[in-house]
Amino acid sequence: PPQSDPRPSKTRVQIRHQTALRHTRRHAYEFRAGDVAAGVGRRPEDHAGGPLVSQRSGEEVFESVVIYLGDEASGEQLRAGDYDLATPLIAVFLSGYFDGKDCLDGEVMGDVTDVMLEEVEADTYWCLTNLLAGIQDHYTSDQPGMQRMVMHLEELVNRIDADLASHLRHTGIEFLQFAFKWMNCLLLREFRLSCVMRLWDTYLSEGDGGFEDFHVYVCASFLVHFSSELQQMGFDELFQFMQNMPTHDWGDREIEILLSSAFVLSTLFGDSEAHLNVVRQSA
């Protein structure tokens, strides 16, 4: 027998009806996400708002999800980077209509029907709200979840690469200056979208802690990967490097190495009593 659909109050039918409000609520979308394009413009060919959502049909899905999220964000502080989190989900759900074909270049958008768009829109909304629900204190007042993750990262780097941590301190670089973005956008701004999808696949397989606990181990592995270069840089060069990490040519191989390193760290530190739970209690 068919199983009941565990979706929240907004069903596909409701979302289908609400799409009629797009044109009268366009100003809401522009207010909430008008700076997204500028914010993700580092790699026009592959950033979180790239070819997939730059075409009209893809943009409509993105726009609707932004509006719905904004409507339900009472007490939360959603930012432009948070809306970008919808993009990997849109790509995955679209590929399901094309036998798993890579949709990131946007070429399939010409073959996407209105019914497909409505289904993708509903699925994306449902999955994104569930993802954000698991990290809800990242977007409440003072964002304690974000601060906790950054402190977790700093403590972890102090343990696994004391020389790098010391160099960052002596140079005047604080973890919050670069790591906040990593936590807020879940590395969407640091990697090509295909790499982000591979990362998120692992996060989902890790269960409830994937997008928080395991993500921090990934960030630590990512930072330490560049340790030798970073330790040769002064403040200005370091700051610039952190804002534009050289990952434009990264692919599955590099991501697999990164995930393997993160898994080793999680195994070594994840169950240690003296480990980072102390940091969480002090946050």
Side-chain angles (χ1 to χ4, degrees):
Q3 297 180 349
S4 60
D5 192 343
R7 294 172 185 270
S9 57
K10 274 194 174 65
T11 65
R12 288 177 173 171
V13 174
Q14 288 174 311
I15 290 181
R16 189 174 297 127
H17 290 164
Q18 288 173 342
T19 55
L21 299 176
R22 281 188 182 133
H23 297 295
T24 59
R25 302 171 69 190
R26 180 79 185 189
H27 67 283
Y29 166 66
E30 292 172 347
F31 176 78
R32 292 174 180 142
D35 58 338
V36 168
V40 297
R42 290 187 178 84
R43 293 191 192 112
E45 74 280 4
D46 226 339
H47 61 56
L52 179 64
V53 296
S54 62
Q55 300 192 38
R56 184 172 181 80
S57 52
E59 183 182 9
E60 287 177 354
V61 174
F62 188 76
E63 172 186 330
S64 293
V65 172
V66 166
I67 290 175
Y68 301 144
L69 280 176
D71 285 347
E72 298 195 352
S74 58
E76 299 178 358
Q77 299 177 351
L78 296 177
R79 305 165 189 267
D82 310 324
Y83 298 127
D84 293 345
L85 303 181
T87 313
L89 301 174
I90 293 173
V92 169
F93 291 128
L94 272 177
S95 69
Y97 292 96
F98 299 95
D99 299 321
K101 179 180 178 181
D102 186 347
C103 299
L104 299 181
D105 57 10
E107 291 182 3
V108 303
M109 299 308 291
D111 299 320
V112 175
T113 66
D114 288 343
V115 172
M116 289 180 188
L117 285 180
E118 291 166 358
E119 297 290 306
V120 169
E121 184 178 296
D123 289 337
T124 299
Y125 168 82
W126 184 75
C127 287
L128 186 55
T129 52
N130 275 269
L131 187 161
L132 292 176
I135 51 177
Q136 191 169 11
D137 65 350
H138 293 198
Y139 308 105
T140 53
S141 179
D142 297 328
Q143 299 180 288
M146 294 287 184
Q147 296 185 49
R148 180 175 64 242
M149 291 174 73
V150 173
M151 293 174 68
H152 185 159
L153 175 64
E154 183 173 2
E155 175 67 15
L156 187 57
V157 173
N158 270 303
R159 292 170 180 259
I160 64 176
D161 194 336
D163 290 340
L164 174 59
S166 176
H167 179 71
L168 292 176
R169 280 195 302 272
H170 293 155
T171 309
I173 296 289
E174 298 183 7
F175 276 74
L176 195 64
Q177 292 174 306
F178 63 87
F180 185 87
K181 180 182 65 170
W182 295 1
M183 308 309 175
N184 188 53
C185 299
L186 296 174
L187 293 175
L188 266 168
R189 306 270 178 97
E190 274 45 67
F191 296 111
R192 297 162 54 192
L193 199 51
S194 58
C195 294
V196 172
M197 291 164 67
R198 177 64 187 90
L199 284 175
W200 284 24
D201 184 66
T202 299
Y203 292 176
L204 290 168
S205 72
E206 288 291 316
D208 293 339
F211 285 92
E212 178 163 345
D213 297 328
F214 193 75
H215 178 67
V216 174
Y217 292 115
V218 169
C219 290
S221 299
F222 183 47
L223 181 62
V224 171
H225 177 82
F226 297 100
S227 179
S228 58
E229 295 103 307
L230 294 172
Q231 292 186 54
Q232 304 302 316
M233 299 178 186
F235 179 88
D236 291 339
E237 192 178 4
L238 254 173
F239 191 81
Q240 186 175 17
F241 187 90
M242 293 293 195
Q243 296 303 311
N244 191 15
M245 304 291 279
T247 59
H248 61 279
D249 58 348
W250 279 39
D252 286 345
R253 179 178 178 276
E254 289 78 11
I255 294 298
E256 293 293 342
I257 294 173
L258 186 66
L259 288 170
S260 296
S261 175
F263 178 76
V264 170
L265 291 178
S266 68
T267 302
L268 290 173
F269 294 101
D271 296 323
S272 172
E273 283 190 18
H275 160 54
L276 310 165
N277 289 327
V278 175
V279 177
R280 292 188 178 185
Q281 293 169 7
S282 64

